[in-house]
Amino acid sequence: MPHHGVLTMKESKKIKLDEHIVEFVCDAGEGAQKAAVSFAKVSAKMGNSLWTVEIIPSEIQPPPHTMGSTSGNRIRLSSKTVTNGGNLTNVVVAFNEMNLLSRIKGKMLADDVVVIIDNKWANDPDETIRKQYREILDELKAKGADIYEVPIEEKTMTLIDNPQRGKNMVALGMLGYLYTRDMDILADEIRSIFKKKSKEIQDNNVALLTLGYELAKETINFQYVIESTPFKVPMVAMNGNEAVALGAVAAGFEHCSMYPITPATSATHALSEYFGRMGGIVHQAEDEIAAIGVALGSYYAGRTTLTITSGPGMALKTEFLGLTVMTETPLVVVNVQRGGPSTGLPTKIEQGDLLSSLFSTPGDAPKVIMAPTDIEECYHVMITARKIAEEFRMLVIVLTDANLATGTQLYPRPKLSTESFPPPMDMSPIPVGTKPYDWDEETGLSRRIIPGQPGGMCRTTSLNHSPEGKVNHDPDMNQKAHRMRSRKLMTLQKSLKKPEVYGDKEGDLLVVSWGSLKGPIDEAVDNLRKEGKKVGAISLQFLSPFPPGLKEIFSKYKKVMVVELNYSDDWDDPMVNEDTRRYSQLSMLLRSHTLVDVDCFTRVYGRPLMPMEIYDALSKRLAQK
Amino acid sequence: MEALQLEEYIEEQCELKTYTLEDYEGDVPRWCKGCGDFGILSSVQKLLRDDQVAPESVVAVSGIGCSSRFPHYLNTYGFHGIHGRAMTIATGVKLGRPDLKVLVTMGDGDCFSIGGGHWLHSMRYNTDLTVIVMDNEIYALTKNQVSPTTHCGTSTNTTPHGAVLKEMNVLSVMLGITNTSFLAQTASWTPGHLDKTIKAAWNHKGTSFVRVLQKCPIFSPQAFGQDGKVKAPFTFLRDENGIPVDKVFEKMAPVIDHNCKDLDAAKKIAMMEETSSPLGLLYHNPSIPTYEESLHATADKITPEEKVVRLNEELDKYTI
């Protein structure tokens, strides 16, 4: 290992690992996030795959030294590709015992977790703090934790006066030692973070880093080695909201009309950042309704426009979703799902908006629904969504979630070209007699006319209308207009591929999912197959229309089961039976779509399911009759 | 080639086509006999003809209600939207396509009630829109319910014993909003004044708001005086920068001098609701920047190729 100048190597036990999960938590403002991001970046540079999750306090200035003030990052490092946040945490670095307690209460820590904690609280003048510090650590120890109480703050103060401004660097140095990180790369990374500051500040921070490294070496007699191979292609690291925003620019979107809502807003922050240089604009509307109204008006007028929101915002946009379908105006709506109903869990994940996205509008409103399964797909889905919206004159709803929005993943850097942009706006004259809804009887498709095209003057109306765009109350015409809008969905369906099965192509159990659960489900399937179980999984990128061949795939398995993150009744609830059970959202759709007895396992914990939790649920289902 | 055909050909080739009123006629209007909406439609059509505006360069946007059928009757591009949301769609059209002229028609319920939030904020955006609210002080299409501008005591289907609330002073509301740049009031039965007001609004850059007082011949014939006979509660505003007041109007109602550049004077006039409804240009400030200009000024104009270059630069920031 190349090492930083002043360091000398002492023998420590090297533990080889395929992967590990490490958390770094502190009070808001103590810098764990900054340090953890640097750690993740350096690990990626060395060739580890990773998935990071932000640990965010729900208030802006929570009282310090409380569970609610806990802020930081959770990083899954691996020698192989990572598609999700993984199982329980193996190592946690905490600046105080309440930060640690919040992770214990969240049931995130493995029993044999390695804990590195600042020992200053052991001698705190406040007896309550001394007591709770000891109790929390004793309880963890009893379960099997390996605890290192380290004078992090005390040591920090040997170099600087204000430990709040540097102990994160000391902790980062400790992690650098523990995971045998290349300290030169880490030091370079720290210098680049402080590149706008003076050389003295840079030097101080590198000194703190080195101090942490030495401190860990004195305290911990082992080091982890996660094999890393530098990537062959350039990789990018970003969160799902940034991927949606960059994907939107790559797709040729020029306008975004939005209203602030967690956890979607950061995607529009990113767009606001990019758009100025990319020739686009972001309009922050007066409310969620206006946000989609402006987007629709803009797209109607020929400008490629999107709106981004979350569940409560979707609810407010409902009438406009219907108008979009009725007027056959292209539009892309991104819904970064959070916990519901109502305000629910604003910062946390749920996959609860599938049915409301499909059915919220009055009447029948066929629309396309897509769901990216990881952060890389968050980028690419935007290009496909834009193309479908324009070619089919349809509403496309993209369902991501809070987990994708704030998680960070590494993926191959996308190749860019002008081909992903829409063609220049059509301003050619419209031949006399052209109808604005000149539906092709077979496909339901019709040519879109854009305001400004000479000779194309026509009316676009929310009322039922004839191919000429005129208000029409005729029974047959209403039937036909509905049929034509539905036909477009079938036309799209014909172009979709049969979903690819992960794992066994036939066997005892098929797991069906959508969105960001694909990663942990695939891992659970891997583990079951290692035990000889015949299990397969499919993930649906299109929820409307469904891809072809589902019934046929389902017929190859004894049991079919949906795993998703929305509420359903558990079979072992005493009130639950065939008459009373409420199924999960995707399972309801699949049951009606295929007439197969699709079961479901769902949880609304406000976090992704871990591969091991899914493994348990699938094992249980396999064991049942 | 016959002479007539040749003339048409030359006109087309040289883009010298002269638009006539017929060029702006859409479907045959289906408003009730005696409805003021007819006059507004004809006013707009005359304006487009006079200015020789290419029909394809105009988008008429509306919400829901009698007034919102307007786009169907005008042969331009038209978007007949949903109740209360016309301003949002129109804002989108103009932000997306600053090259298009956008006309918005709404009713009093559409604009001041269900669309109230959008109304206020759109005034502040000052997007370049010509907004006409056809205010008959009643919900007509849904059959006679009280609206925000229905006068207190008026009997409607939802207030059979008389409306209990005092009507909303929409003029003073708008004069209290930052960036209100053009506010005029006219009436459907003062045709010359209506034409001139709509024309002034059309020529203003920014959100030009015109409230047209009118009666619904079916549900509010009593509005603004019995049987539409104009007695009193009007005052014409005389202003060299405003809407000219014809001699004939001077006999109908009092005329007062006003300076439409003076916001405080406009507010005072707007507050005179007890005695008189002002007809004319209440306030005009052409120097307030439009929203689309301000917003688009933040965006670089670049080619698709340059966009790829810049997008690659953004990706560099995320590259490990």
CSV table of all heavy atoms in Angstrom, one decimal, chain B residues 251-283:
chain,number,residue,atom,x,y,z
B,251,LYS,N,-72.8,61.5,-21.9
B,251,LYS,CA,-74.2,61.7,-21.5
B,251,LYS,C,-74.7,60.5,-20.6
B,251,LYS,O,-75.7,60.7,-19.9
B,251,LYS,CB,-75.1,61.7,-22.8
B,251,LYS,CG,-74.9,63.0,-23.6
B,251,LYS,CD,-75.7,63.0,-24.9
B,251,LYS,CE,-75.2,64.0,-25.8
B,251,LYS,NZ,-75.4,63.6,-27.2
B,252,MET,N,-74.1,59.4,-20.7
B,252,MET,CA,-74.5,58.2,-20.0
B,252,MET,C,-74.1,58.2,-18.5
B,252,MET,O,-74.9,57.8,-17.7
B,252,MET,CB,-73.9,56.9,-20.6
B,252,MET,CG,-74.4,56.5,-22.0
B,252,MET,SD,-73.3,55.3,-22.7
B,252,MET,CE,-73.7,53.9,-21.7
B,253,ALA,N,-72.9,58.8,-18.3
B,253,ALA,CA,-72.4,58.6,-16.9
B,253,ALA,C,-71.4,59.8,-16.6
B,253,ALA,O,-70.9,60.4,-17.6
B,253,ALA,CB,-71.7,57.3,-16.8
B,254,PRO,N,-71.1,60.0,-15.4
B,254,PRO,CA,-70.1,61.0,-15.1
B,254,PRO,C,-68.7,60.7,-15.6
B,254,PRO,O,-68.4,59.5,-15.8
B,254,PRO,CB,-70.1,61.0,-13.5
B,254,PRO,CG,-71.0,60.0,-13.0
B,254,PRO,CD,-71.7,59.3,-14.2
B,255,VAL,N,-67.9,61.7,-15.9
B,255,VAL,CA,-66.6,61.5,-16.4
B,255,VAL,C,-65.6,62.2,-15.4
B,255,VAL,O,-65.9,63.3,-15.1
B,255,VAL,CB,-66.4,62.1,-17.8
B,255,VAL,CG1,-65.0,61.9,-18.3
B,255,VAL,CG2,-67.4,61.4,-18.8
B,256,ILE,N,-64.6,61.5,-15.0
B,256,ILE,CA,-63.6,62.2,-14.2
B,256,ILE,C,-62.2,62.1,-14.8
B,256,ILE,O,-61.9,61.1,-15.6
B,256,ILE,CB,-63.6,61.6,-12.7
B,256,ILE,CG1,-63.2,60.1,-12.7
B,256,ILE,CG2,-64.8,61.9,-12.0
B,256,ILE,CD1,-62.9,59.6,-11.4
B,257,ASP,N,-61.4,63.0,-14.5
B,257,ASP,CA,-60.0,63.0,-15.0
B,257,ASP,C,-59.2,62.0,-14.1
B,257,ASP,O,-59.3,61.9,-12.9
B,257,ASP,CB,-59.4,64.4,-14.9
B,257,ASP,CG,-60.0,65.3,-16.0
B,257,ASP,OD1,-60.3,64.8,-17.1
B,257,ASP,OD2,-60.2,66.5,-15.7
B,258,HIS,N,-58.3,61.3,-14.8
B,258,HIS,CA,-57.4,60.4,-14.1
B,258,HIS,C,-56.1,60.3,-14.8
B,258,HIS,O,-56.0,60.5,-16.0
B,258,HIS,CB,-58.2,59.0,-14.1
B,258,HIS,CG,-57.3,57.9,-13.6
B,258,HIS,ND1,-56.8,57.9,-12.3
B,258,HIS,CD2,-56.9,56.7,-14.1
B,258,HIS,CE1,-56.1,56.8,-12.0
B,258,HIS,NE2,-56.1,56.1,-13.1
B,259,ASN,N,-55.1,60.0,-14.1
B,259,ASN,CA,-53.8,59.7,-14.6
B,259,ASN,C,-53.4,58.2,-14.4
B,259,ASN,O,-53.1,57.8,-13.3
B,259,ASN,CB,-52.7,60.6,-14.0
B,259,ASN,CG,-51.3,60.4,-14.4
B,259,ASN,OD1,-51.1,59.6,-15.4
B,259,ASN,ND2,-50.4,61.0,-13.8
B,260,CYS,N,-53.4,57.5,-15.5
B,260,CYS,CA,-53.2,56.0,-15.4
B,260,CYS,C,-51.8,55.6,-15.0
B,260,CYS,O,-51.5,54.5,-14.7
B,260,CYS,CB,-53.6,55.3,-16.7
B,260,CYS,SG,-52.6,55.7,-18.0
B,261,LYS,N,-50.9,56.6,-14.9
B,261,LYS,CA,-49.5,56.3,-14.4
B,261,LYS,C,-49.4,56.4,-12.9
B,261,LYS,O,-48.4,56.1,-12.3
B,261,LYS,CB,-48.5,57.3,-15.1
B,261,LYS,CG,-48.6,57.4,-16.6
B,261,LYS,CD,-48.1,56.2,-17.3
B,261,LYS,CE,-48.3,56.4,-18.8
B,261,LYS,NZ,-48.2,55.1,-19.5
B,262,ASP,N,-50.5,56.9,-12.3
B,262,ASP,CA,-50.5,57.2,-10.9
B,262,ASP,C,-51.2,56.1,-10.1
B,262,ASP,O,-52.4,56.0,-10.1
B,262,ASP,CB,-51.2,58.6,-10.7
B,262,ASP,CG,-51.1,59.0,-9.2
B,262,ASP,OD1,-50.9,58.1,-8.3
B,262,ASP,OD2,-51.4,60.2,-8.9
B,263,LEU,N,-50.4,55.2,-9.5
B,263,LEU,CA,-50.9,54.1,-8.8
B,263,LEU,C,-51.8,54.5,-7.6
B,263,LEU,O,-52.9,53.9,-7.4
B,263,LEU,CB,-49.7,53.2,-8.3
B,263,LEU,CG,-50.1,51.9,-7.6
B,263,LEU,CD1,-50.9,51.0,-8.5
B,263,LEU,CD2,-48.8,51.1,-7.1
B,264,ASP,N,-51.4,55.5,-6.9
B,264,ASP,CA,-52.2,55.9,-5.7
B,264,ASP,C,-53.6,56.4,-6.2
B,264,ASP,O,-54.6,56.1,-5.6
B,264,ASP,CB,-51.5,57.0,-4.9
B,264,ASP,CG,-50.4,56.4,-4.1
B,264,ASP,OD1,-50.4,55.2,-3.8
B,264,ASP,OD2,-49.4,57.1,-3.8
B,265,ALA,N,-53.6,57.2,-7.3
B,265,ALA,CA,-54.9,57.7,-7.8
B,265,ALA,C,-55.7,56.5,-8.3
B,265,ALA,O,-56.9,56.4,-8.1
B,265,ALA,CB,-54.6,58.6,-9.0
B,266,ALA,N,-55.1,55.5,-8.9
B,266,ALA,CA,-55.8,54.3,-9.4
B,266,ALA,C,-56.4,53.6,-8.2
B,266,ALA,O,-57.6,53.1,-8.2
B,266,ALA,CB,-54.9,53.4,-10.1
B,267,LYS,N,-55.7,53.5,-7.1
B,267,LYS,CA,-56.2,52.8,-5.9
B,267,LYS,C,-57.4,53.5,-5.3
B,267,LYS,O,-58.4,52.9,-4.9
B,267,LYS,CB,-55.1,52.7,-4.8
B,267,LYS,CG,-54.1,51.6,-5.1
B,267,LYS,CD,-53.0,51.5,-4.1
B,267,LYS,CE,-52.0,50.4,-4.4
B,267,LYS,NZ,-50.8,50.5,-3.5
B,268,LYS,N,-57.3,54.8,-5.3
B,268,LYS,CA,-58.4,55.6,-4.8
B,268,LYS,C,-59.7,55.3,-5.6
B,268,LYS,O,-60.8,55.1,-5.1
B,268,LYS,CB,-58.1,57.1,-4.8
B,268,LYS,CG,-57.6,57.6,-3.5
B,268,LYS,CD,-57.4,59.1,-3.5
B,268,LYS,CE,-56.2,59.4,-2.5
B,268,LYS,NZ,-55.4,60.4,-3.0
B,269,ILE,N,-59.5,55.3,-6.9
B,269,ILE,CA,-60.6,55.1,-7.8
B,269,ILE,C,-61.2,53.7,-7.6
B,269,ILE,O,-62.4,53.5,-7.6
B,269,ILE,CB,-60.2,55.4,-9.3
B,269,ILE,CG1,-60.0,56.9,-9.5
B,269,ILE,CG2,-61.3,54.8,-10.3
B,269,ILE,CD1,-59.4,57.2,-10.8
B,270,ALA,N,-60.3,52.8,-7.5
B,270,ALA,CA,-60.8,51.4,-7.3
B,270,ALA,C,-61.6,51.2,-6.0
B,270,ALA,O,-62.4,50.4,-5.9
B,270,ALA,CB,-59.6,50.4,-7.3
B,271,MET,N,-61.3,52.1,-5.0
B,271,MET,CA,-62.0,51.9,-3.8
B,271,MET,C,-63.3,52.7,-3.7
B,271,MET,O,-64.0,52.6,-2.8
B,271,MET,CB,-61.1,52.5,-2.6
B,271,MET,CG,-59.8,51.7,-2.4
B,271,MET,SD,-60.1,49.9,-2.1
B,271,MET,CE,-60.6,50.0,-0.4
B,272,MET,N,-63.6,53.4,-4.8
B,272,MET,CA,-64.9,54.1,-4.9
B,272,MET,C,-66.1,53.2,-5.1
B,272,MET,O,-67.1,53.6,-5.6
B,272,MET,CB,-64.9,55.2,-6.0
B,272,MET,CG,-63.8,56.2,-5.9
B,272,MET,SD,-64.1,57.6,-7.0
B,272,MET,CE,-64.5,56.8,-8.6
B,273,GLU,N,-66.0,51.9,-4.9
B,273,GLU,CA,-67.0,51.0,-5.3
B,273,GLU,C,-68.4,51.3,-4.9
B,273,GLU,O,-69.3,51.0,-5.5
B,273,GLU,CB,-66.6,49.6,-4.8
B,273,GLU,CG,-66.4,49.6,-3.3
B,273,GLU,CD,-66.0,48.2,-2.7
B,273,GLU,OE1,-66.7,47.3,-3.0
B,273,GLU,OE2,-65.0,48.2,-2.0
B,274,GLU,N,-68.5,51.9,-3.7
B,274,GLU,CA,-69.9,52.2,-3.2
B,274,GLU,C,-70.7,53.0,-4.2
B,274,GLU,O,-71.9,52.8,-4.3
B,274,GLU,CB,-69.8,52.9,-1.8
B,274,GLU,CG,-69.3,52.0,-0.7
B,274,GLU,CD,-70.2,50.8,-0.5
B,274,GLU,OE1,-71.4,50.9,-0.7
B,274,GLU,OE2,-69.6,49.8,0.0
B,275,THR,N,-70.0,54.0,-4.8
B,275,THR,CA,-70.8,54.9,-5.6
B,275,THR,C,-70.7,54.6,-7.1
B,275,THR,O,-71.6,54.9,-7.8
B,275,THR,CB,-70.3,56.3,-5.3
B,275,THR,OG1,-68.9,56.4,-5.5
B,275,THR,CG2,-70.7,56.8,-4.0
B,276,SER,N,-69.6,54.1,-7.5
B,276,SER,CA,-69.4,54.1,-9.0
B,276,SER,C,-68.4,53.1,-9.4
B,276,SER,O,-67.4,52.8,-8.8
B,276,SER,CB,-68.9,55.5,-9.4
B,276,SER,OG,-68.7,55.6,-10.7
B,277,SER,N,-68.6,52.5,-10.6
B,277,SER,CA,-67.6,51.6,-11.2
B,277,SER,C,-66.8,52.3,-12.3
B,277,SER,O,-67.4,52.8,-13.2
B,277,SER,CB,-68.4,50.4,-11.8
B,277,SER,OG,-68.2,49.3,-11.0
B,278,PRO,N,-65.6,52.4,-12.1
B,278,PRO,CA,-64.8,53.1,-13.1
B,278,PRO,C,-64.6,52.4,-14.4
B,278,PRO,O,-64.3,51.2,-14.4
B,278,PRO,CB,-63.4,53.3,-12.4
B,278,PRO,CG,-63.3,52.1,-11.5
B,278,PRO,CD,-64.7,51.8,-11.1
B,279,LEU,N,-64.8,53.0,-15.5
B,279,LEU,CA,-64.6,52.4,-16.8
B,279,LEU,C,-63.4,53.2,-17.5
B,279,LEU,O,-63.5,54.4,-17.6
B,279,LEU,CB,-65.8,52.5,-17.7
B,279,LEU,CG,-67.1,51.7,-17.3
B,279,LEU,CD1,-68.1,51.8,-18.4
B,279,LEU,CD2,-66.8,50.3,-16.9
B,280,GLY,N,-62.4,52.4,-17.8
B,280,GLY,CA,-61.2,53.1,-18.4
B,280,GLY,C,-59.9,52.4,-18.0
B,280,GLY,O,-60.0,51.3,-17.4
B,281,LEU,N,-58.8,53.0,-18.3
B,281,LEU,CA,-57.5,52.4,-17.9
B,281,LEU,C,-57.2,52.9,-16.5
B,281,LEU,O,-56.9,54.1,-16.3
B,281,LEU,CB,-56.5,52.8,-18.9
B,281,LEU,CG,-55.1,52.3,-18.8
B,281,LEU,CD1,-55.1,50.8,-18.7
B,281,LEU,CD2,-54.2,52.7,-20.0
B,282,LEU,N,-57.2,52.0,-15.5
B,282,LEU,CA,-56.9,52.4,-14.2
B,282,LEU,C,-55.4,52.6,-13.9
B,282,LEU,O,-55.0,53.6,-13.3
B,282,LEU,CB,-57.5,51.4,-13.2
B,282,LEU,CG,-58.9,51.6,-12.8
B,282,LEU,CD1,-59.8,50.7,-13.6
B,282,LEU,CD2,-59.1,51.4,-11.3
B,283,TYR,N,-54.7,51.7,-14.4
B,283,TYR,CA,-53.2,51.8,-14.2
B,283,TYR,C,-52.5,51.2,-15.3
B,283,TYR,O,-52.8,50.1,-15.9
B,283,TYR,CB,-52.9,51.0,-12.9
B,283,TYR,CG,-51.4,51.1,-12.5
B,283,TYR,CD1,-50.9,52.4,-12.2
B,283,TYR,CD2,-50.6,50.0,-12.5
B,283,TYR,CE1,-49.6,52.5,-11.9
B,283,TYR,CE2,-49.3,50.2,-12.2
B,283,TYR,CZ,-48.7,51.4,-11.9
B,283,TYR,OH,-47.4,51.6,-11.6
